[in-house]
Amino acid sequence: MLIVIKSHQEIELMREAGKIVAETLARLERAIRPGVTTGHLDNLARKCIKSCNAQPAFLGYHGFPASICASINEEVVHGIPGLKKLKDGDILSIDVGVYYKGYCGDSASTFPVGEVSPLALKLVQVARDAFYQGFAHACPGKYLQDISSAIQNCAESHNFSVVRNFVGHGIGSQMHEEPQVPNYGVPGKGVQLQEGMVLAIEPMVNEGTWEVETLGDNWTVVTKDRKLSAHYEHTVAILENGPEILTSL
Ligand code: MG
Ligand code: MG
């Protein structure tokens, strides 16, 4: 397993890529409302990314047909944007990846559409909290699964579950690099973290079972019990003094 360690200059470029991802997600958040199609959001994202002289990283990735993933309610990840209209009470997970000057940024968030149920709102908040619980362990000298177990503990302490079949990942000049970053694990296990590693930490938290399946479009991943799922992801650099979120404004 080869983990590519990034120089300060490379991390600076990844900060620029990350900023474009964050701007795109912020632009999309402002456009989310009942009646809007996920295809419209995809168009907005592509324009936003192009206007920053960046490339959408997902478009054409293993044949993926769009610039963002848009996953509604029981859809976990990899939903294909299209004619589907958002409804009041939905939760929408949007995942954005870009390439800029040879480096990648990757971030996702789940947004409430209109007025959502208290349970849906809690799930969205727990996915975000789980990310920050994991993020706090992304320090030199810690172990990879310190991040994983913190995420798992956070989700399970609220009686939610974490997806096993999809995981976070190293990121750099490639969107998916080593190591894999599971959202479950045992403290002290896995590789020791060191300065210059960059990880996409991305809890996928389910209301019910952790089990998922892929729909007939060969992309959209849904919960097996069709209960809700929320996703929260940032690209995180492990620096001497601790972790930094690169996909922030
Ligand atoms: Mg992502
Ligand atoms: Mg990712």
Side-chain angles (χ1 to χ4, degrees), residues 8 11 15 134-142 193-198 201 236-246:
H8 288 292
I11 287 172
R15 228 175 245 123
F135 171 79
H137 292 274
C139 302
K142 291 271 197 174
L193 302 176
Q194 63 182 89
E195 189 186 350
M197 288 181 180
V198 182
I201 300 173
V236 174
I238 298 173
L239 302 175
E240 189 183 1
N241 297 319
E244 177 186 325
I245 293 177
L246 301 181

Side-chain angles (χ1 to χ4, degrees), residues 23-154:
E23 280 172 15
T24 304
L25 267 175
R27 176 70 192 86
L28 297 180
E29 183 176 12
R30 292 196 296 276
I32 291 170
R33 60 180 66 92
V36 163
T37 67
T38 52
H40 172 70
L41 298 175
D42 184 53
N43 271 325
L44 273 181
R46 197 181 56 252
K47 284 180 193 155
C48 185
I49 293 166
K50 296 274 186 191
S51 73
C52 297
N53 296 315
Q55 305 301 322
F58 301 163
L59 186 63
Y61 183 82
H62 293 288
F64 190 76
S67 298
I68 61 170
C69 299
S71 311
I72 303 171
N73 296 334
E74 75 277 9
E75 297 173 356
V76 180
V77 286
H78 305 164
I80 301 174
L83 298 174
K84 209 183 272 180
K85 281 185 179 158
L86 299 176
K87 298 190 308 291
D88 191 45
D90 283 343
I91 56 172
L92 171 66
S93 302
I94 298 182
D95 201 337
V96 176
V98 310
Y99 278 105
Y100 181 70
K101 296 183 179 174
Y103 288 90
C104 197
D106 187 6
S107 178
S109 192
T110 300
F111 302 100
V113 180
E115 201 75 32
V116 306
S117 72
L119 179 66
L121 199 59
K122 185 180 170 194
L123 186 71
V124 166
Q125 285 165 346
V126 167
R128 184 175 187 278
D129 289 349
F131 165 84
Y132 281 101
Q133 294 291 322
F135 171 79
H137 292 274
C139 302
K142 291 271 197 174
Y143 292 85
L144 186 80
Q145 290 190 29
D146 294 342
I147 298 173
S148 311
S149 66
I151 289 170
Q152 180 178 19
N153 286 342
C154 178

